[in-house]
Amino acid sequence: MVRASAVQDKFAAGVAMLDGGTVTGTDAWGKHLFVHAAPAGARPPVWLHVHLGLYGKFLHGTGTPAAPWGQLRLRLESERGWADLRGATASELLDEEGRLRVISRLGADPLRRGTDGEEPWTRISRSRTSVGALLMDQSVVAGVGNVYRAEILFRHGVDPFRPGRDLTAREWTAMWSDLRVLMRAGVRSGKIVTTRPEDRPRGRRTASTVRREDSHYVYRRTGEPCRVCGTPVRTAEMVARNLYWCPRCQAS
DNA sequence: GCTAAATGTTGAT
DNA sequence: TCAACCTTTAGCT
């Protein structure tokens, strides 16, 4: 049984539904999180749908939760621990149909078991849109964001401006399996490290010694020398986000 | 101590 | 295309 509480009035209805209920599971598809709960009484099960957006956080732990500050969306407490949701873009209660509606807008998630890159490939291989834009389209690939977009394109030497239909099947297969590996490592470690050990400074090559400034090839490195060829990293806006790339390593 | 930008999406114009 | 959401952090002073 969980106790649900929150500071923000607009989430009062959701809080009331969860309070006294039981959390029965969790799921994620791309950047969308789902908490399955059985409300108190005989009400049907619900999904708490959460999208953390740019600065949302789901903090959790055991023992006494921290004193709430700012805008606390939702606090769940049970004898096993607590969870605070803050600053999320989306936080709503859905039934199963609502959850399916959210998922229906999402493409394949590299992190989900048994998911291959075939569906994204049918979209990408027919599209005149740039690969850099397609990777940010959650209906093509779910879960890839601005960091993985820039880094995966660098790791495969692909020009972000190249039209999707000019990508080869071989390139896409390699990018997809690389995304699965990188994103899974990200989930495990809680950080995004995309540099290969040999491209990091000597002494910083094991996972435990990687510094943040050595973690990426191009992301947020505008003007700094490419780790592989030394050419200054470039930046441009694409799909309303800053794109970073090496004009030499990613010339095609 | 202040400002701008950021792993993102939605809804109004 | 832009503002809003609302938090944290980096990079200034």
Side-chain angles (χ1 to χ4, degrees), chain A residues 31 50-57 86-90:
Chain A
K31 298 166 186 168
V50 173
H51 192 299
L52 292 175
L54 195 51
Y55 36 65
K57 275 200 167 57
R86 347 182 31 90
T89 289

Side-chain angles (χ1 to χ4, degrees), chain A residues 31-84:
Chain A
K31 298 166 186 168
H32 297 256
L33 317 175
F34 299 93
V35 178
H36 197 233
R43 289 174 292 186
V46 291
W47 291 99
L48 170 67
H49 169 224
V50 173
H51 192 299
L52 292 175
L54 195 51
Y55 36 65
K57 275 200 167 57
F58 227 146
L59 305 167
H60 56 89
T62 55
T64 312
W69 72 95
Q71 303 284 304
L72 181 60
R73 293 267 161 105
L74 176 69
R75 166 169 286 178
L76 298 176
E77 292 175 271
S78 79
E79 56 286 351
R80 296 187 41 199
W82 56 271
D84 278 0

